[in-house]
Amino acid sequence: QVQLVESGGGLVQAGGSLRLSCAASGRTFSRYNMGWFRQAPGNEREFVAAISWIGGSAYYADSVKGRFSVFRDNAKNTLYLQMNTLNPEDTAVYYCAARSTLPKRWDTDEYDYWGQGTQVTVSS
């Protein structure tokens, strides 16, 4: 079992930055592949970024590539999402997720565990 708790969301002006954190319980965090997703009102949940447990390879949605960075600190059981140059289209609830197996596609939403989400609002 893994419990995930996101934090770091808030209100920011366009062009600003935020860093989201996802604290994970359990002693095997380092063995989980981790992902970030978001869901805006009226929209389906969409993939944002993911990071593998092997080698820490990172993967991004085209919409955030070059602006967002996903990284992890296994010693702290924490996943991060650094978000730069935010725009109003990034407004959404952001979720972190964990899965124990390598996915066939990194943009899949088939994860084993999900957090409760944290709201990010970008004003124009």
Side-chain angles (χ1 to χ4, degrees), residues 51-52 54 62 65 69 78 80 89 92 96 103 110:
I51 186 167
S52 70
I54 299 177
D62 289 342
K65 202 170 294 183
S69 178
T78 303
Y80 301 95
E89 289 70 38
C96 68
E110 295 177 351

Side-chain angles (χ1 to χ4, degrees), residues 53-70:
W53 77 273
I54 299 177
S57 298
Y59 307 85
Y60 299 95
D62 289 342
S63 59
V64 306
K65 202 170 294 183
R67 300 188 297 122
F68 289 12
S69 178
V70 59

Side-chain angles (χ1 to χ4, degrees), residues 28-49:
T28 58
F29 170 77
S30 62
R31 300 294 296 271
Y32 279 87
N33 302 287
M34 302 296 297
W36 285 101
F37 294 79
R38 66 187 182 186
Q39 187 167 19
N43 291 357
E44 293 187 354
R45 184 172 58 195
E46 64 174 358
F47 168 76
V48 174

Side-chain angles (χ1 to χ4, degrees), residues 2-109:
V2 176
Q3 292 186 325
L4 305 172
V5 179
E6 302 94 336
S7 62
L11 174 64
V12 63
Q13 289 188 330
S17 298
L18 280 176
R19 177 177 290 185
L20 305 183
S21 299
C22 173
S25 65
R27 295 175 293 178
T28 58
F29 170 77
S30 62
R31 300 294 296 271
Y32 279 87
N33 302 287
M34 302 296 297
W36 285 101
F37 294 79
R38 66 187 182 186
Q39 187 167 19
N43 291 357
E44 293 187 354
R45 184 172 58 195
E46 64 174 358
F47 168 76
V48 174
I51 186 167
S52 70
W53 77 273
I54 299 177
S57 298
Y59 307 85
Y60 299 95
D62 289 342
S63 59
V64 306
K65 202 170 294 183
R67 300 188 297 122
F68 289 12
S69 178
V70 59
F71 56 101
R72 63 195 298 164
D73 186 336
N74 290 335
K76 295 183 178 180
N77 278 12
T78 303
L79 175 73
Y80 301 95
L81 184 68
Q82 177 66 42
M83 306 186 294
N84 299 326
T85 320
L86 286 161
N87 59 61
E89 289 70 38
D90 295 317
T91 295
V93 177
Y94 283 71
Y95 301 89
C96 68
R99 62 176 287 155
S100 58
T101 57
L102 288 172
K104 294 181 180 179
R105 291 176 56 97
W106 282 99
D107 59 354
T108 181
D109 64 352

